[in-house]
Amino acid sequence: MRAVIVDCAIYRDGHRSKGPSDFSDALDAARASGGDAFLWIGLHEPTESEFDHVSDEFGLHPLAVEDALKAHQRPKLEVYDDSLFMVLKPVVYEPDSDTVSTGELMVFVGDSFVVTVRHGEGAPLGAVRQRLEADPEVLKHGPTSVLYAISDAVVDHYIEVAAELQVDLEELETEVFQPAGGDSKNTASRIYTFKRQVMEFRRATGPLAAPMSRLAGAGVPFVSEHAQPFFRDVNDHLARATEQVEGLDRLLSDILSAHLAQMGVRQNDDMRKISSWAAMAAVPTMVAGVYGMNFDHMPELRWEFGYLMVIVVMAVACSGLYRLFKRRGWL
């Protein structure tokens, strides 16, 4: 268990206090203290056998435990008899590869305890815990303050990642609309990859709207009514992040359409150039083909200047066609 427990502490009156090293004894101590005392235990990718000790001690619902172990869940909020279960999907931007990856974060809130289960390397909760410990006025509101701080941190990071993606999108847009047009295959691949990342981002932000709206309202067990304005603020930030993600998705669709249209225009230009040169090549080919036939009686066949005349006719015809196609913009 020590390998998966990231941190375990008892909080009283908004301050971290020393307690038993065993989380079972620590939970009893927090409940015995009464008031706003609670235990916060953080786990990272526990196995089923490791999490059984926690679920049995805290009385977690089997369905919630199953979701916490399997991961790959959509953001949601479930209310059980003895606890509240919430799933969030933190998003991490990797600047080296310009990619977006998602993790999973499960939060159990109950009577005098908070259990967080994290899957993936993104969105560690150490910074959230430190920020809360530095603000006792918020932390003294009990487990609700932890749920709020985690939700706020995850949603605020959505906005930061959306801003990073906006910068990448502007660079991609510049590449698509540059005069040279860039490498068509590489550009189309980048647009498609970018769109997949935005789709993954939407899977994190979209389903979270309903749980946050529910927390911002009244009547949610294990959530203090005084926290509703704070959850409404988080919900507003989430709406902003969702709008940014949807805007990115629409712009990507427009850029892809514009890129395909540009490719069609360039292909038409290439076809017109090929057709123009083929037309100019057809004139001397036709003349040479006619005079290459084995007939005895052909016009000017025995004339001394016949060869020169044919060359001049072909040159004049090709020059005329070239000027015509050039004036119409085909060449």
Side-chain angles (χ1 to χ4, degrees):
M1 284 300 297
R2 286 295 175 186
V4 299
I5 295 178
V6 179
D7 201 348
C8 179
I10 297 176
Y11 296 90
R12 296 185 180 92
D13 298 324
H15 296 279
R16 182 170 182 148
S17 61
K18 294 182 178 180
S21 58
D22 183 77
F23 67 84
S24 177
D25 296 334
L27 178 60
D28 294 336
R31 287 173 173 170
S33 299
D36 57 5
F38 68 97
L39 172 68
W40 181 4
I41 177 173
L43 307 175
H44 180 238
E45 297 183 352
T47 63
E48 183 176 355
S49 60
E50 291 169 338
F51 199 60
D52 283 342
H53 299 288
V54 179
S55 60
D56 292 341
E57 186 63 35
F58 290 87
L60 305 179
H61 196 279
L63 292 177
V65 171
E66 182 181 358
D67 290 342
L69 289 173
K70 288 186 176 180
H72 302 292
Q73 304 294 321
R74 287 166 55 89
K76 63 180 180 179
L77 177 67
E78 299 287 351
V79 178
Y80 299 102
D81 293 336
D82 299 325
S83 63
L84 182 74
F85 177 63
M86 187 171 184
V87 179
L88 302 101
K89 293 183 74 69
V91 175
V92 179
Y93 176 78
E94 299 174 2
D96 295 336
S97 56
D98 294 335
T99 57
V100 171
S101 60
T102 59
E104 292 198 31
L105 185 59
M106 288 76 171
V107 184
F108 295 87
V109 177
D111 180 22
S112 302
F113 71 85
V114 177
V115 178
T116 55
V117 181
R118 181 166 58 90
H119 292 269
E121 298 299 327
L125 296 178
V128 177
R129 190 184 288 262
Q130 292 175 4
R131 189 180 70 181
L132 278 175
E133 291 177 354
D135 193 354
E137 290 299 320
V138 176
L139 193 57
K140 72 180 183 180
H141 288 88
T144 303
S145 63
V146 178
L147 182 60
Y148 157 72
I150 293 174
S151 303
D152 185 57
V154 171
V155 171
D156 284 348
H157 197 60
Y158 285 165
I159 298 176
E160 296 175 6
V161 173
E164 296 286 350
L165 290 177
Q166 181 66 40
V167 175
D168 292 343
L169 181 60
E170 291 174 357
E171 295 176 356
L172 182 60
E173 188 176 15
T174 301
E175 178 181 337
V176 170
F177 291 104
Q178 65 182 354
D183 185 357
S184 298
K185 293 183 178 180
N186 184 49
T187 302
S189 176
R190 286 189 60 191
I191 295 174
Y192 179 75
T193 302
F194 206 134
K195 199 168 181 63
R196 288 292 301 269
Q197 295 178 26
V198 172
M199 183 182 298
E200 186 70 19
F201 200 169
R202 292 185 66 179
R203 291 173 182 170
T205 60
L208 188 57
M212 291 310 307
S213 298
R214 190 175 177 185
L215 288 172
V220 180
F222 307 104
V223 176
S224 173
E225 294 182 357
H226 300 289
Q228 293 176 17
F230 297 95
F231 283 111
R232 282 198 293 269
D233 181 67
V234 177
N235 195 29
D236 290 340
H237 291 179
L238 177 62
R240 175 184 170 189
T242 302
E243 290 176 357
Q244 288 179 311
V245 174
E246 291 178 352
L248 290 172
D249 188 56
R250 287 194 298 269
L251 283 175
L252 276 171
S253 298
D254 293 341
I255 290 175
L256 180 60
S257 299
H259 177 64
L260 294 177
Q262 283 185 329
M263 290 181 60
V265 170
R266 285 196 290 267
Q267 289 176 351
N268 289 336
D269 290 340
D270 293 339
M271 288 302 299
R272 285 188 294 183
K273 291 178 181 178
I274 294 172
S275 300
S276 300
W277 289 110
M280 286 186 288
V283 172
T285 301
M286 180 186 65
V287 174
V290 169
Y291 276 88
M293 292 185 292
N294 297 320
F295 292 110
D296 290 333
H297 304 285
M298 295 186 69
E300 314 300 338
L301 188 62
R302 303 295 180 181
W303 187 33
E304 182 180 357
F305 301 101
Y307 174 76
L308 180 61
M309 182 194 69
V310 169
I311 296 297
V312 171
V313 169
M314 289 190 295
V316 171
C318 291
S319 299
L321 288 174
Y322 180 82
R323 293 182 60 185
L324 175 63
F325 292 139
K326 191 73 172 178
R327 186 165 57 249
R328 292 187 176 182
W330 285 36
L331 293 175

